[in-house]
């Protein structure tokens, strides 16, 4: 890899390796080396600009969860612009809530949750990032509902006027990555499946999904077979029936010892104007940043991992309804 330290055997090795080095090996200072000084990190809850802000957030997380682990389940990647690469890194994290912090008073509970991070790296340094953490899984394991947590967070951040504002595309900043992924057939196949479901064609599920499919969804929820997949995607779309669905980035890959895979970064943007998995319609505008990984087998799509931040969705709604 041009410009990368030769100790990394390939791009997934780099992504998994620096993640462990930073978090578990306590190499927080290496962020000055691995992360760009002005890099944007976009997550559903905020936009963070600059490596020093990332360092501060990393230390705060480790202070609250000192035994946090990040197990790399997969890195689905493609070539980017200017000799760079774009990775979509899916992680399974464990962490014990040992100290007080952004999640409230310490509970001593050990958590399990997933994260997907899309990172652009060039010359051994990450300079652009999109990050979605399953906040719904975290707060439920700590005894909150996502809505309760969002309301409490707004109050702890000083109220509606001073709290950290959730990510909205109109507030985004342009980073150095200009790509949209690749044209591999598996990425396109999965993009077509998502597009059909977002166009209310849920008949695609028994056609394209393995009957034994396992779906891992927000809130740490596991669903099996066609009925489980239908329950998740229909419940989401029913809550935001008029929202605009957009695919922002798609990758397809075929690698040795791995099934054909796809990684899609997508959004729903529009009104909470329907009855579905987000309860009573509020008619408030919401932007959902979603990330999904899919694995295919001989009988169709066999594993699906989707993450979005339920707490950020409720924070957007509550800030508009005034129920804080």
């Amino acid at each position: 890899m041009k410009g990368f330290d030769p100790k990394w055997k390939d791009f997934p090795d780099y992504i998994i390796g620096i993640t462990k080095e930073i978090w578990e090996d306590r190499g927080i200072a290496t962020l000055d080396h691995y992360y760009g000084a002005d890099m944007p990190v976009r997550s559903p809850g905020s936009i963070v600009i600059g490596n020093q802000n990332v360092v501060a957030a990393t230390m705060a997380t480790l202070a609250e969860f000192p035994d946090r682990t990040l197990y790399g389940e997969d890195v689905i990647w493609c070539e980017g612009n200017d000799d760079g690469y774009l990775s979509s890194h899916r992680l399974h994290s464990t962490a014990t809530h040992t100290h007080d912090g952004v999640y409230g008073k310490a509970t001593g509970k050990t958590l399990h949750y997933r994260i997907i991070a899309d990172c652009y790296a060039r010359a051994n340094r990450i300079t652009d990032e999109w990050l979605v953490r399953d906040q719904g899984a975290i707060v439920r394991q700590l005894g909150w509902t996502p809505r309760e947590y969002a309301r409490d967070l707004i109050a702890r951040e000083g109220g509606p006027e001073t709290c950290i504002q959730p990510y909205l595309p109109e507030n985004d900043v342009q980073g150095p990555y200009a790509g949209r992924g690749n044209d591999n057939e598996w990425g396109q196949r999965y993009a077509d499946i998502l597009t059909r479901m977002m166009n209310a064609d849920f008949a695609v599920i028994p056609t394209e999904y393995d009957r034994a499919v396992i779906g891992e969804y927000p809130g740490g929820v596991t669903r099996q077979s066609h009925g489980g997949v239908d329950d998740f995607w229909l419940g989401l779309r029913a809550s935001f029936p008029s929202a605009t669905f957009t695919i922002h980035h798609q990758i397809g890959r075929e690698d040795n010892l791995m099934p054909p895979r796809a990684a899609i970064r997508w959004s729903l943007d529009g009104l909470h104007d329907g009855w579905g998995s987000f309860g009573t319609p509020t008619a408030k505008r919401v932007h959902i940043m979603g990330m999904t990984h899919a694995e295919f087998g001989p009988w169709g799509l066999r594993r699906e991992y989707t993450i979005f931040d339920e707490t950020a969705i409720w924070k957007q709604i509550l800030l508009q309804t005034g129920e804080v």
Side-chain angles (χ1 to χ4, degrees):
M1 298 187 295
K2 183 178 178 181
F4 285 80
D5 191 311
K7 72 178 181 179
W8 308 116
K9 64 181 182 181
D10 55 27
F11 191 51
D13 186 48
Y14 166 82
I15 291 295
I16 292 171
I18 68 168
T19 300
K20 182 176 184 297
E21 188 174 333
I22 293 165
W23 288 93
E24 296 175 50
D25 299 342
R26 291 300 193 269
I28 302 172
T30 64
L31 284 165
D32 292 332
H33 173 66
Y34 290 127
Y35 272 36
D38 300 315
M39 69 169 290
V41 180
R42 308 159 193 82
S43 64
S46 66
I47 303 176
V48 175
I49 306 295
N51 178 49
Q52 289 307 305
N53 289 320
V54 175
V55 170
T58 301
M59 290 192 294
T61 299
L62 286 174
E64 191 169 4
F65 301 95
D67 66 346
R68 188 183 187 211
T69 62
L70 292 137
Y71 300 115
E73 292 185 328
D74 199 2
V75 178
I76 302 174
W77 62 279
C78 66
E79 294 183 354
N81 46 279
D82 297 328
D83 297 316
Y85 302 90
L86 191 288
S87 67
S88 190
H89 183 195
R90 189 180 76 248
L91 307 108
H92 186 131
S93 185
T94 65
T96 304
H97 191 212
T98 305
H99 301 295
D100 300 351
V102 71
Y103 294 99
K105 293 291 184 181
T107 62
K109 294 181 178 179
T110 298
L111 314 178
H112 294 261
Y113 57 94
R114 280 190 171 86
I115 306 155
I116 296 179
D118 281 13
C119 295
Y120 173 66
R122 177 181 178 272
N124 216 50
R125 177 169 286 192
I126 293 173
T127 54
D128 229 345
E129 184 169 356
W130 295 259
L131 172 73
V132 181
R133 184 183 297 112
D134 189 355
Q135 293 279 78
I138 294 172
V139 302
R140 284 185 175 91
Q141 290 172 84
L142 294 174
W144 306 83
T145 67
R147 183 172 184 163
E148 290 168 344
Y149 175 79
R151 180 183 289 114
D152 184 77
L153 184 63
I154 292 168
R156 285 188 287 120
E157 291 177 343
E161 300 303 320
T162 60
C163 71
I164 297 170
Q165 296 298 307
Y167 171 89
L168 291 174
E170 56 264 34
N171 300 328
D172 201 359
V173 296
Q174 180 62 52
Y177 182 63
R180 296 291 301 274
N182 63 22
D183 59 0
N184 178 277
E185 64 176 298
W186 297 102
Q188 187 57 53
R189 180 171 173 179
Y190 190 56
D192 291 343
I193 291 170
L194 287 181
T195 300
R196 286 180 62 182
M197 288 192 293
M198 293 300 100
N199 288 333
D201 182 7
F202 294 97
V204 71
I205 295 171
T207 303
E208 295 292 338
Y209 285 75
D210 189 322
R211 198 171 72 90
V213 61
I214 299 294
E216 303 287 352
Y217 299 128
V221 171
T222 301
R223 293 284 184 261
Q224 187 172 24
S225 197
H226 298 156
V229 174
D230 183 88
D231 183 64
F232 167 70
W233 286 110
L234 181 58
L236 173 65
R237 192 50 162 154
S239 285
F240 310 96
S242 66
T244 299
F245 173 70
T246 304
I247 290 175
H248 301 278
H249 198 271
Q250 76 179 52
I251 306 172
R253 279 201 70 83
E254 296 177 75
D255 293 296
N256 289 337
L257 303 179
M258 298 290 287
R261 290 137 38 239
I264 303 280
R265 187 170 72 246
W266 53 270
S267 69
L268 276 173
D269 193 300
L271 300 181
H272 175 218
D273 55 355
W275 286 91
S277 54
F278 281 82
T280 305
T282 61
K284 302 304 180 184
R285 185 265 179 113
V286 167
H287 181 84
I288 301 173
M289 180 191 297
M291 294 188 183
T292 302
H293 283 188
E295 299 177 1
F296 291 87
W299 302 291
L301 199 162
R302 62 190 301 273
R303 294 287 186 274
E304 185 174 63
Y305 305 85
T306 291
I307 301 177
F308 53 73
D309 182 349
E310 296 165 277
T311 70
I313 295 170
W314 280 114
K315 192 175 188 182
Q316 292 175 72
I317 292 171
L318 293 172
L319 287 172
Q320 294 174 78
T321 62
E323 299 175 52
V324 294

